[in-house]
Amino acid sequence: MAFCGGFMDKAKPYIAMISLQFGYAGMNVLTKVSLNGGMSHYVLVVYRHAFATLAIAPFALFLESGRKVRPKMTWSIFFQIFVLALLGPVIDQNFYYVGLKYTGPTFACAMSNILPAMTFVMAVIFRMEKIELKKVRCQAKIFGTVVTVAGAMLMTLYKGPLMHLPWTNGHAQPSGGEASGAAGVDPTAREWFLGSLFIIIATLAWASLFILQTHTIRKYTAQLSLTTLICFIGTIQAIAVTFVMERRVSVWTIGFDMNLLAAAYAGIVTSSIAYYVQGLVIQKTGPVFASAFSPLMMIIVAVMGSFILSEKIYLGAVLGAVVIVVGLYAVLWGKHKEKQEQEADAKAALPVASKGPDGASVLQGAATAAGDDDGMRSASNGRGAGSASAV
C-alpha cells in the first residue's frame, strides 16, 4: 500500500498534465469551428473567461475562505495578477486564436511545442535555471532549445506538399462553402506566415505567464482564489480590448449553438480547471516540467482535426513538428538529469547518526560518514534513479 501511495503521488503531475492535453485538444477543434463560423475571437475570449470565472469562483469562495488560507492582497501581488491576466487571457489567447484561424488546429498545436524552449530560456534569464556548460545535461538543454526554435522556423517558412495520412484516405475533403464552415479555405502564403508569427507571439506570452506564475504562487498560495482573480481581471481586460477592436454590437450576440459550446468548454475546461491544475503542478515541479506535454496535444489534435474538420496537413508541418519534438525531449532529458543530481546531492547532505569515541551518538554529514568520494558517488547514483517524477 505504501508503494502504491508513493507511486500515485509521483504520478499525479504526469496524469494531471496528460489530462489537460486532451482538454486543450478539444478546445482547439471546437474553437476552430466557431471561428470559421464567423465568431469574433475578441468576443470568444470575453465569454470564455466569464464562464471560467463563474465556474471557479464558488470553489474559491467556499474552500478558501474559512481556513484562512487566502493571503493578504498587496499592491505588488495585485499587479502580478493583473499582468498574469494580461499575458494569458488577453495577449496569448487573442493572438493564438488569430493564428489558429489563419492556419489550423494541428499546425497551431505543433507550433506551440516551442513553449518549453521559450520557458527554459526565460527561466535562465530570470535565474530560475543554471547554466553549467561543462555538464552534458546542460548541453542537452541548450541543444534542445536551439533545435526546437529551428523546428518552429521550419514550420513557419516551409509549407510543402499536402500529406495524405492513413486515417484520411477515403475521407472526402469538403469544398466550396462547405469548406469555409468546417476546415476553412486553404490559407495563402501570407496568411500562413502571419498565423505562424501570431502563434509565436502567443507562445511567448504563455511562457512569460509560466515564469510569473511560478513567482506569484509563492506569495499568494491560495490557488483557487488566484485562478479566480486571473480569470475575472482577464475578463474585464478582454471586454476593454473588444470595445476598442470591435465596433459592431452584433458581434456580442450568442445563442445555443457552437459558439456557446466553444466559449463554455474553453472557459470551464481550459481556463478555470487548467489554470488551477497548472498552478498546482508548477508549484510542485517547476515551470519547465509543466510546459513539456504539448507534443501529446499535437497528436490528439491531428487525429481529431482530420476526422472532424477534414483538416489538411502539410509536409512542412510534419517535419517541423518532428524537429520540435526532438528538441523538446532533449530539454526534458537534461532537466530530468539535473533533478536527479539535485535529489542525490540533497540526500547525500542529510546528517546520519554515528558513534563517537565515548559511545554516544553523533550526527555527521553523509559525505563524512561515507568515508571517501567514491562511496558518496556510488550512494548518490543508487538513489538518483528513483526521481523520475520530478523531471
Side-chain angles (χ1 to χ4, degrees):
M1 293 297 292
F3 171 79
C4 292
F7 173 79
M8 286 303 299
D9 186 61
K10 291 181 179 180
K12 283 179 181 178
Y14 291 89
I15 296 172
M17 293 310 299
I18 290 172
S19 300
L20 283 186
Q21 302 317 306
F22 280 91
Y24 282 130
M27 182 275 294
N28 275 274
V29 174
L30 289 176
T31 300
K32 176 66 173 177
V33 175
S34 181
L35 293 176
N36 285 345
M39 187 176 189
S40 166
H41 63 87
Y42 298 108
V43 175
L44 179 58
V45 170
V46 173
Y47 284 133
R48 168 177 176 168
H49 287 88
F51 276 111
T53 304
L54 293 174
I56 200 71
F59 295 96
L61 181 63
F62 291 108
L63 298 179
E64 293 183 344
S65 59
R67 296 183 296 173
K68 297 182 179 179
V69 296
R70 189 180 294 126
K72 181 181 178 181
M73 178 63 67
T74 64
W75 281 109
S76 174
I77 294 175
F78 177 79
F79 178 74
Q80 291 178 41
I81 294 174
F82 183 89
V83 175
L84 284 171
L86 189 64
L87 288 171
V90 179
I91 298 177
D92 166 59
Q93 288 175 22
N94 275 304
F95 277 97
Y96 183 81
Y97 284 159
V98 176
L100 177 67
K101 186 175 182 179
Y102 280 167
T103 57
T106 302
F107 180 87
C109 289
M111 282 292 289
S112 298
N113 287 338
I114 64 176
L115 175 63
M118 282 188 173
T119 306
F120 170 67
V121 171
M122 297 187 69
V124 171
I125 294 173
F126 290 99
R127 298 182 179 180
M128 294 179 176
E129 293 276 342
K130 294 181 180 179
I131 294 293
E132 298 173 288
L133 294 177
K134 293 182 179 180
K135 295 192 175 183
V136 176
R137 58 173 173 77
C138 186
Q139 295 171 5
K141 290 192 290 186
I142 295 174
F143 169 79
T145 301
V146 174
V147 171
T148 302
V149 174
M153 294 301 296
L154 176 62
M155 295 184 70
T156 303
L157 301 176
Y158 175 66
K159 187 175 180 181
L162 178 66
M163 296 289 292
H164 298 282
L165 301 176
W167 57 82
T168 61
N169 290 338
H171 199 80
Q173 295 286 350
S175 59
E178 185 183 354
S180 63
V185 296
D186 194 24
T188 64
R190 181 177 179 274
E191 288 176 337
W192 192 267
F193 177 80
L194 288 176
S196 303
L197 184 62
F198 289 145
I199 294 171
I200 291 174
I201 295 173
T203 306
L204 179 62
W206 192 244
S208 303
L209 183 142
F210 273 111
I211 298 299
L212 181 57
Q213 189 176 14
T214 304
H215 177 74
T216 305
I217 59 179
R218 293 172 184 167
K219 296 182 178 181
Y220 199 86
T221 55
Q223 295 282 354
L224 290 169
S225 299
L226 178 61
T227 302
T228 302
L229 289 170
I230 292 174
C231 292
F232 176 69
I233 295 175
T235 303
I236 296 175
Q237 293 173 343
I239 290 173
V241 171
T242 305
F243 275 128
V244 173
M245 302 302 296
E246 296 282 4
R247 303 302 174 88
R248 295 173 293 117
V249 179
S250 59
V251 299
W252 293 93
T253 304
I254 190 170
F256 289 94
D257 51 16
M258 180 58 70
N259 294 343
L260 179 64
L261 176 61
Y265 180 94
I268 297 171
V269 176
T270 60
S271 285
S272 58
I273 295 177
Y275 285 162
Y276 174 64
V277 173
Q278 175 182 291
L280 292 178
V281 173
I282 286 176
Q283 192 174 38
K284 185 173 182 179
T285 64
V288 176
F289 176 89
S291 66
F293 289 82
S294 50
L296 176 60
M297 176 176 63
M298 177 184 66
I299 296 171
I300 299 169
V301 169
V303 176
M304 293 177 64
S306 295
F307 278 110
I308 299 175
L309 299 177
S310 299
E311 184 190 5
K312 298 177 181 179
I313 300 176
Y314 294 88
L315 179 62
V318 175
L319 294 178
V322 171
V323 173
I324 287 173
V325 170
V326 171
L328 169 65
Y329 283 103
V331 174
L332 290 182
W333 182 87
K335 186 67 178 174
H336 171 63
K337 291 298 181 182
E338 179 183 49
K339 201 67 177 181
Q340 284 186 329
E341 288 184 16
Q342 291 175 349
E343 291 192 353
D345 291 343
K347 290 181 179 180
L350 290 175
V352 296
S354 63
K355 295 292 183 180
D358 57 353
S361 295
V362 178
L363 289 178
Q364 296 181 348
T368 304
D372 57 32
D373 290 341
D374 292 337
M376 182 176 68
R377 277 197 296 269
S378 63
S380 298
N381 290 338
R383 286 189 290 265
S387 61
S389 68
V391 182

